[in-house]
Amino acid sequence: LCFPQKLWKILESDQFRSIWWSAGGKCVAIYEELFKEEVLGRERRLRVFGTQNMKSFLRQLNAYGFTKLPNDFQRSASLPEFLAEEAAASSYSKILYYYNPYFNREHPELLQRCRRS
């Protein structure tokens, strides 16, 4: 699978607490500290992405057209998502939000247009 497909797969999985769909399925929310441990810190045979380095992962997001959103953008309308975001924020963690117009939970057919630049 290519990077966007792997990202989609972990977002749809219930295995990970460090990454979720946000803002109505239009953005990816990443609880950075837990993500480093839970996703990037996995053993070689269980590794999701080819890297264990957060900077490399973020470079991949950028290479596929994702843009970082400021932390003050409108939060999720969904109560579970909002509560997860608030719980993570209250623990002084860093939540990162990334957006790509072709990466939308409601429109999986757009995923094929999410290409490396």
Side-chain angles (χ1 to χ4, degrees), residues 56-103:
S56 297
F57 174 78
L58 296 177
R59 269 195 297 272
Q60 282 278 56
L61 282 175
N62 291 322
Y64 279 92
F66 286 82
T67 55
K68 185 176 181 183
L69 297 175
N71 286 343
D72 61 349
F73 87 102
Q74 185 159 354
R75 292 286 180 90
S76 301
S78 155
L79 181 59
E81 289 176 10
F82 179 80
L83 292 175
E85 290 168 1
E86 287 303 306
S90 69
S91 68
Y92 304 103
S93 66
K94 187 173 181 185
I95 298 178
L96 306 173
Y97 297 94
Y98 280 86
Y99 170 78
N100 181 318
Y102 303 121
F103 200 85

Short mmCIF file of all heavy atoms in Angstrom, two decimals, residues 56-103:
data_model
loop_
_atom_site.label_atom_id
_atom_site.label_comp_id
_atom_site.label_asym_id
_atom_site.label_seq_id
_atom_site.Cartn_x
_atom_site.Cartn_y
_atom_site.Cartn_z
N SER A 56 10.24 12.52 9.61
CA SER A 56 10.11 11.82 8.33
C SER A 56 8.64 11.56 8.00
O SER A 56 8.22 11.70 6.85
CB SER A 56 10.86 10.49 8.35
OG SER A 56 12.23 10.72 8.51
N PHE A 57 7.86 11.19 9.00
CA PHE A 57 6.43 10.97 8.80
C PHE A 57 5.75 12.27 8.34
O PHE A 57 4.96 12.27 7.40
CB PHE A 57 5.78 10.45 10.08
CG PHE A 57 4.28 10.34 9.98
CD1 PHE A 57 3.69 9.28 9.31
CD2 PHE A 57 3.46 11.31 10.53
CE1 PHE A 57 2.30 9.19 9.19
CE2 PHE A 57 2.08 11.22 10.43
CZ PHE A 57 1.51 10.17 9.75
N LEU A 58 6.09 13.39 9.00
CA LEU A 58 5.50 14.68 8.63
C LEU A 58 5.94 15.11 7.23
O LEU A 58 5.15 15.70 6.48
CB LEU A 58 5.87 15.75 9.67
CG LEU A 58 5.32 15.50 11.07
CD1 LEU A 58 5.79 16.58 12.03
CD2 LEU A 58 3.81 15.40 11.08
N ARG A 59 7.17 14.78 6.85
CA ARG A 59 7.63 15.08 5.48
C ARG A 59 6.80 14.29 4.46
O ARG A 59 6.48 14.80 3.39
CB ARG A 59 9.12 14.74 5.32
CG ARG A 59 10.02 15.92 5.63
CD ARG A 59 11.44 15.69 5.13
NE ARG A 59 12.11 14.57 5.76
CZ ARG A 59 12.80 14.63 6.89
NH1 ARG A 59 12.95 15.77 7.51
NH2 ARG A 59 13.37 13.57 7.39
N GLN A 60 6.46 13.05 4.82
CA GLN A 60 5.62 12.24 3.94
C GLN A 60 4.24 12.89 3.77
O GLN A 60 3.72 12.97 2.66
CB GLN A 60 5.44 10.82 4.49
CG GLN A 60 6.61 9.93 4.26
CD GLN A 60 6.58 9.33 2.87
OE1 GLN A 60 6.52 10.03 1.86
NE2 GLN A 60 6.65 8.02 2.81
N LEU A 61 3.66 13.34 4.88
CA LEU A 61 2.37 14.03 4.80
C LEU A 61 2.47 15.22 3.84
O LEU A 61 1.62 15.38 2.95
CB LEU A 61 1.92 14.53 6.18
CG LEU A 61 1.32 13.53 7.14
CD1 LEU A 61 1.05 14.20 8.49
CD2 LEU A 61 0.03 12.93 6.60
N ASN A 62 3.51 16.02 4.01
CA ASN A 62 3.70 17.19 3.16
C ASN A 62 3.91 16.80 1.70
O ASN A 62 3.39 17.44 0.79
CB ASN A 62 4.87 18.05 3.66
CG ASN A 62 4.54 18.72 4.97
OD1 ASN A 62 3.43 19.16 5.20
ND2 ASN A 62 5.52 18.78 5.86
N ALA A 63 4.66 15.74 1.46
CA ALA A 63 4.93 15.28 0.09
C ALA A 63 3.64 14.84 -0.61
O ALA A 63 3.54 14.94 -1.84
CB ALA A 63 5.93 14.14 0.10
N TYR A 64 2.67 14.38 0.15
CA TYR A 64 1.40 13.95 -0.43
C TYR A 64 0.33 15.04 -0.39
O TYR A 64 -0.85 14.78 -0.56
CB TYR A 64 0.89 12.67 0.26
CG TYR A 64 1.56 11.43 -0.29
CD1 TYR A 64 2.71 10.93 0.29
CD2 TYR A 64 1.06 10.79 -1.42
CE1 TYR A 64 3.34 9.80 -0.22
CE2 TYR A 64 1.67 9.68 -1.94
CZ TYR A 64 2.81 9.18 -1.34
OH TYR A 64 3.43 8.07 -1.87
N GLY A 65 0.75 16.26 -0.17
CA GLY A 65 -0.16 17.39 -0.28
C GLY A 65 -0.94 17.75 0.96
O GLY A 65 -1.89 18.55 0.90
N PHE A 66 -0.59 17.20 2.10
CA PHE A 66 -1.27 17.56 3.35
C PHE A 66 -0.69 18.87 3.85
O PHE A 66 0.51 19.10 3.76
CB PHE A 66 -1.06 16.48 4.42
CG PHE A 66 -1.86 15.24 4.19
CD1 PHE A 66 -1.41 14.26 3.31
CD2 PHE A 66 -3.07 15.05 4.83
CE1 PHE A 66 -2.15 13.11 3.09
CE2 PHE A 66 -3.82 13.89 4.62
CZ PHE A 66 -3.35 12.92 3.74
N THR A 67 -1.55 19.72 4.37
CA THR A 67 -1.09 20.97 4.96
C THR A 67 -1.48 21.00 6.43
O THR A 67 -2.55 20.53 6.82
CB THR A 67 -1.71 22.20 4.25
OG1 THR A 67 -3.13 22.08 4.26
CG2 THR A 67 -1.22 22.32 2.83
N LYS A 68 -0.58 21.54 7.24
CA LYS A 68 -0.82 21.63 8.66
C LYS A 68 -1.80 22.77 8.93
O LYS A 68 -1.66 23.85 8.38
CB LYS A 68 0.49 21.89 9.41
CG LYS A 68 0.34 21.86 10.90
CD LYS A 68 1.68 22.03 11.58
CE LYS A 68 1.49 21.98 13.08
NZ LYS A 68 2.73 22.22 13.79
N LEU A 69 -2.78 22.50 9.77
CA LEU A 69 -3.76 23.52 10.15
C LEU A 69 -3.38 24.08 11.51
O LEU A 69 -2.84 23.37 12.36
CB LEU A 69 -5.15 22.91 10.24
CG LEU A 69 -5.72 22.36 8.93
CD1 LEU A 69 -7.06 21.69 9.19
CD2 LEU A 69 -5.87 23.45 7.90
N PRO A 70 -3.67 25.35 11.74
CA PRO A 70 -3.40 25.92 13.06
C PRO A 70 -4.27 25.25 14.12
O PRO A 70 -5.38 24.80 13.82
CB PRO A 70 -3.76 27.40 12.90
CG PRO A 70 -4.64 27.46 11.70
CD PRO A 70 -4.28 26.30 10.83
N ASN A 71 -3.79 25.19 15.34
CA ASN A 71 -4.53 24.52 16.41
C ASN A 71 -5.81 25.25 16.81
O ASN A 71 -6.63 24.69 17.52
CB ASN A 71 -3.65 24.34 17.64
CG ASN A 71 -2.63 23.24 17.43
OD1 ASN A 71 -2.77 22.43 16.53
ND2 ASN A 71 -1.59 23.24 18.23
N ASP A 72 -5.99 26.47 16.35
CA ASP A 72 -7.20 27.21 16.73
C ASP A 72 -8.32 27.11 15.70
O ASP A 72 -9.30 27.81 15.79
CB ASP A 72 -6.87 28.67 17.02
CG ASP A 72 -6.31 29.38 15.80
OD1 ASP A 72 -5.98 28.71 14.81
OD2 ASP A 72 -6.20 30.62 15.86
N PHE A 73 -8.19 26.18 14.72
CA PHE A 73 -9.29 26.04 13.77
C PHE A 73 -10.46 25.37 14.47
O PHE A 73 -10.33 24.83 15.55
CB PHE A 73 -8.84 25.25 12.53
CG PHE A 73 -8.95 23.76 12.65
CD1 PHE A 73 -10.00 23.09 12.06
CD2 PHE A 73 -8.01 23.03 13.35
CE1 PHE A 73 -10.11 21.72 12.17
CE2 PHE A 73 -8.11 21.65 13.47
CZ PHE A 73 -9.16 21.00 12.88
N GLN A 74 -11.65 25.42 13.85
CA GLN A 74 -12.85 24.89 14.50
C GLN A 74 -12.72 23.41 14.79
O GLN A 74 -12.36 22.63 13.93
CB GLN A 74 -14.08 25.14 13.62
CG GLN A 74 -15.34 24.72 14.31
CD GLN A 74 -16.55 25.39 13.72
OE1 GLN A 74 -16.43 26.24 12.86
NE2 GLN A 74 -17.70 25.01 14.18
N ARG A 75 -13.03 23.04 16.01
CA ARG A 75 -12.92 21.66 16.45
C ARG A 75 -14.07 20.81 15.89
O ARG A 75 -15.05 21.31 15.39
CB ARG A 75 -12.96 21.58 17.98
CG ARG A 75 -11.75 22.17 18.65
CD ARG A 75 -10.56 21.24 18.46
NE ARG A 75 -9.36 21.73 19.08
CZ ARG A 75 -8.99 21.48 20.32
NH1 ARG A 75 -9.76 20.79 21.11
NH2 ARG A 75 -7.84 21.94 20.77
N SER A 76 -13.95 19.51 16.07
CA SER A 76 -14.94 18.54 15.60
C SER A 76 -16.30 18.79 16.21
O SER A 76 -16.41 19.12 17.38
CB SER A 76 -14.50 17.13 15.96
OG SER A 76 -13.27 16.84 15.40
N ALA A 77 -17.32 18.57 15.41
CA ALA A 77 -18.68 18.70 15.90
C ALA A 77 -19.12 17.41 16.60
O ALA A 77 -20.01 17.42 17.43
CB ALA A 77 -19.62 19.01 14.74
N SER A 78 -18.47 16.31 16.25
CA SER A 78 -18.81 15.02 16.83
C SER A 78 -18.34 14.98 18.29
O SER A 78 -17.19 15.25 18.59
CB SER A 78 -18.12 13.92 16.03
OG SER A 78 -17.93 12.78 16.79
N LEU A 79 -19.26 14.63 19.20
CA LEU A 79 -18.93 14.63 20.63
C LEU A 79 -17.76 13.70 20.97
O LEU A 79 -16.83 14.13 21.64
CB LEU A 79 -20.16 14.28 21.46
CG LEU A 79 -19.94 14.27 22.98
CD1 LEU A 79 -19.46 15.64 23.47
CD2 LEU A 79 -21.19 13.86 23.69
N PRO A 80 -17.73 12.45 20.49
CA PRO A 80 -16.59 11.59 20.84
C PRO A 80 -15.26 12.17 20.35
O PRO A 80 -14.26 12.13 21.07
CB PRO A 80 -16.90 10.26 20.15
CG PRO A 80 -18.37 10.26 19.95
CD PRO A 80 -18.75 11.71 19.76
N GLU A 81 -15.26 12.71 19.13
CA GLU A 81 -14.02 13.29 18.61
C GLU A 81 -13.63 14.52 19.42
O GLU A 81 -12.47 14.70 19.76
CB GLU A 81 -14.19 13.69 17.14
CG GLU A 81 -14.26 12.51 16.20
CD GLU A 81 -14.51 12.93 14.77
OE1 GLU A 81 -14.45 14.13 14.46
OE2 GLU A 81 -14.78 12.04 13.95
N PHE A 82 -14.61 15.35 19.74
CA PHE A 82 -14.33 16.56 20.51
C PHE A 82 -13.76 16.19 21.88
O PHE A 82 -12.77 16.76 22.32
CB PHE A 82 -15.59 17.40 20.66
CG PHE A 82 -15.38 18.64 21.47
CD1 PHE A 82 -14.81 19.77 20.89
CD2 PHE A 82 -15.73 18.69 22.81
CE1 PHE A 82 -14.60 20.92 21.64
CE2 PHE A 82 -15.52 19.83 23.57
CZ PHE A 82 -14.95 20.95 22.98
N LEU A 83 -14.37 15.22 22.54
CA LEU A 83 -13.90 14.80 23.86
C LEU A 83 -12.49 14.22 23.79
O LEU A 83 -11.66 14.47 24.66
CB LEU A 83 -14.87 13.79 24.49
CG LEU A 83 -16.23 14.36 24.88
CD1 LEU A 83 -17.14 13.24 25.36
CD2 LEU A 83 -16.10 15.45 25.93
N ALA A 84 -12.21 13.45 22.74
CA ALA A 84 -10.86 12.89 22.57
C ALA A 84 -9.85 14.01 22.38
O ALA A 84 -8.77 14.00 22.96
CB ALA A 84 -10.83 11.94 21.38
N GLU A 85 -10.21 15.01 21.57
CA GLU A 85 -9.31 16.14 21.34
C GLU A 85 -9.08 16.92 22.63
O GLU A 85 -7.96 17.29 22.95
CB GLU A 85 -9.90 17.08 20.28
CG GLU A 85 -9.89 16.48 18.88
CD GLU A 85 -10.73 17.27 17.90
OE1 GLU A 85 -11.32 18.29 18.28
OE2 GLU A 85 -10.81 16.84 16.75
N GLU A 86 -10.15 17.16 23.37
CA GLU A 86 -10.03 17.92 24.62
C GLU A 86 -9.22 17.17 25.66
O GLU A 86 -8.41 17.75 26.37
CB GLU A 86 -11.42 18.26 25.18
CG GLU A 86 -12.13 19.32 24.39
CD GLU A 86 -11.35 20.62 24.30
OE1 GLU A 86 -10.95 21.17 25.33
OE2 GLU A 86 -11.11 21.07 23.17
N ALA A 87 -9.45 15.86 25.77
CA ALA A 87 -8.69 15.05 26.74
C ALA A 87 -7.21 15.09 26.41
O ALA A 87 -6.37 15.25 27.29
CB ALA A 87 -9.20 13.62 26.73
N ALA A 88 -6.88 14.96 25.14
CA ALA A 88 -5.48 15.00 24.73
C ALA A 88 -4.90 16.38 24.98
O ALA A 88 -3.78 16.52 25.47
CB ALA A 88 -5.36 14.61 23.26
N ALA A 89 -5.64 17.42 24.67
CA ALA A 89 -5.15 18.79 24.85
C ALA A 89 -4.95 19.10 26.33
O ALA A 89 -3.98 19.75 26.71
CB ALA A 89 -6.13 19.78 24.24
N SER A 90 -5.83 18.59 27.17
CA SER A 90 -5.71 18.88 28.59
C SER A 90 -4.52 18.18 29.23
O SER A 90 -4.08 18.56 30.29
CB SER A 90 -6.99 18.51 29.32
OG SER A 90 -7.15 17.11 29.34
N SER A 91 -3.99 17.17 28.57
CA SER A 91 -2.81 16.49 29.11
C SER A 91 -1.53 17.14 28.58
O SER A 91 -0.48 16.54 28.62
CB SER A 91 -2.84 15.00 28.78
OG SER A 91 -2.69 14.82 27.39
N TYR A 92 -1.67 18.37 28.09
CA TYR A 92 -0.54 19.15 27.60
C TYR A 92 0.16 18.49 26.42
O TYR A 92 1.34 18.68 26.19
CB TYR A 92 0.46 19.45 28.72
CG TYR A 92 -0.16 20.14 29.87
CD1 TYR A 92 -0.46 19.44 31.02
CD2 TYR A 92 -0.50 21.48 29.79
CE1 TYR A 92 -1.08 20.07 32.09
CE2 TYR A 92 -1.12 22.13 30.86
CZ TYR A 92 -1.40 21.41 32.01
OH TYR A 92 -2.01 22.03 33.05
N SER A 93 -0.57 17.69 25.68
CA SER A 93 0.01 17.05 24.52
C SER A 93 -0.08 17.99 23.33
O SER A 93 -0.78 18.99 23.37
CB SER A 93 -0.74 15.76 24.21
OG SER A 93 -2.05 16.09 23.81
N LYS A 94 0.59 17.62 22.30
CA LYS A 94 0.54 18.39 21.08
C LYS A 94 -0.29 17.63 20.07
O LYS A 94 0.08 16.55 19.65
CB LYS A 94 1.96 18.61 20.57
CG LYS A 94 2.03 19.53 19.39
CD LYS A 94 3.47 19.83 19.05
CE LYS A 94 3.53 20.79 17.89
NZ LYS A 94 4.90 21.01 17.45
N ILE A 95 -1.42 18.21 19.68
CA ILE A 95 -2.26 17.61 18.66
C ILE A 95 -1.98 18.35 17.36
O ILE A 95 -2.04 19.57 17.30
CB ILE A 95 -3.75 17.68 19.01
CG1 ILE A 95 -4.03 16.92 20.29
CG2 ILE A 95 -4.59 17.10 17.87
CD1 ILE A 95 -5.46 16.97 20.74
N LEU A 96 -1.67 17.58 16.34
CA LEU A 96 -1.40 18.13 15.01
C LEU A 96 -2.60 17.85 14.13
O LEU A 96 -3.17 16.76 14.17
CB LEU A 96 -0.15 17.47 14.42
CG LEU A 96 1.10 17.50 15.27
CD1 LEU A 96 2.20 16.66 14.62
CD2 LEU A 96 1.57 18.92 15.48
N TYR A 97 -2.98 18.83 13.31
CA TYR A 97 -4.09 18.68 12.39
C TYR A 97 -3.57 18.86 10.97
O TYR A 97 -2.90 19.85 10.69
CB TYR A 97 -5.18 19.72 12.67
CG TYR A 97 -5.81 19.57 14.03
CD1 TYR A 97 -5.34 20.30 15.11
CD2 TYR A 97 -6.86 18.69 14.23
CE1 TYR A 97 -5.91 20.16 16.38
CE2 TYR A 97 -7.44 18.54 15.49
CZ TYR A 97 -6.96 19.28 16.55
OH TYR A 97 -7.52 19.14 17.78
N TYR A 98 -3.91 17.91 10.10
CA TYR A 98 -3.47 17.98 8.71
C TYR A 98 -4.67 17.80 7.79
O TYR A 98 -5.57 17.00 8.06
CB TYR A 98 -2.42 16.91 8.41
CG TYR A 98 -1.05 17.33 8.89
CD1 TYR A 98 -0.66 17.10 10.20
CD2 TYR A 98 -0.18 18.01 8.06
CE1 TYR A 98 0.57 17.52 10.66
CE2 TYR A 98 1.05 18.44 8.50
CZ TYR A 98 1.42 18.18 9.80
OH TYR A 98 2.64 18.62 10.25
N TYR A 99 -4.65 18.56 6.69
CA TYR A 99 -5.75 18.57 5.73
C TYR A 99 -5.23 18.33 4.32
O TYR A 99 -4.18 18.85 3.94
CB TYR A 99 -6.46 19.93 5.79
CG TYR A 99 -7.46 20.14 4.68
CD1 TYR A 99 -8.71 19.54 4.73
CD2 TYR A 99 -7.14 20.92 3.57
CE1 TYR A 99 -9.62 19.72 3.70
CE2 TYR A 99 -8.05 21.09 2.54
CZ TYR A 99 -9.29 20.50 2.62
OH TYR A 99 -10.18 20.66 1.60
N ASN A 100 -5.98 17.55 3.56
CA ASN A 100 -5.72 17.36 2.14
C ASN A 100 -7.10 17.28 1.48
O ASN A 100 -7.94 16.49 1.93
CB ASN A 100 -4.94 16.07 1.92
CG ASN A 100 -4.61 15.81 0.47
OD1 ASN A 100 -5.44 16.01 -0.41
ND2 ASN A 100 -3.40 15.36 0.22
N PRO A 101 -7.35 18.07 0.44
CA PRO A 101 -8.69 18.06 -0.17
C PRO A 101 -9.08 16.71 -0.76
O PRO A 101 -10.26 16.43 -0.94
CB PRO A 101 -8.60 19.14 -1.26
CG PRO A 101 -7.14 19.33 -1.50
CD PRO A 101 -6.45 19.00 -0.22
N TYR A 102 -8.10 15.85 -1.04
CA TYR A 102 -8.39 14.53 -1.61
C TYR A 102 -8.39 13.42 -0.57
O TYR A 102 -8.47 12.24 -0.91
CB TYR A 102 -7.36 14.19 -2.70
CG TYR A 102 -7.32 15.22 -3.80
CD1 TYR A 102 -6.14 15.89 -4.09
CD2 TYR A 102 -8.46 15.55 -4.52
CE1 TYR A 102 -6.11 16.85 -5.10
CE2 TYR A 102 -8.43 16.51 -5.51
CZ TYR A 102 -7.26 17.15 -5.80
OH TYR A 102 -7.21 18.10 -6.78
N PHE A 103 -8.30 13.79 0.68
CA PHE A 103 -8.28 12.81 1.77
C PHE A 103 -9.45 13.14 2.68
O PHE A 103 -9.34 13.93 3.61
CB PHE A 103 -6.95 12.90 2.53
CG PHE A 103 -6.62 11.68 3.33
CD1 PHE A 103 -5.99 10.60 2.74
CD2 PHE A 103 -6.92 11.62 4.68
CE1 PHE A 103 -5.66 9.47 3.48
CE2 PHE A 103 -6.60 10.51 5.43
CZ PHE A 103 -5.98 9.42 4.83
#
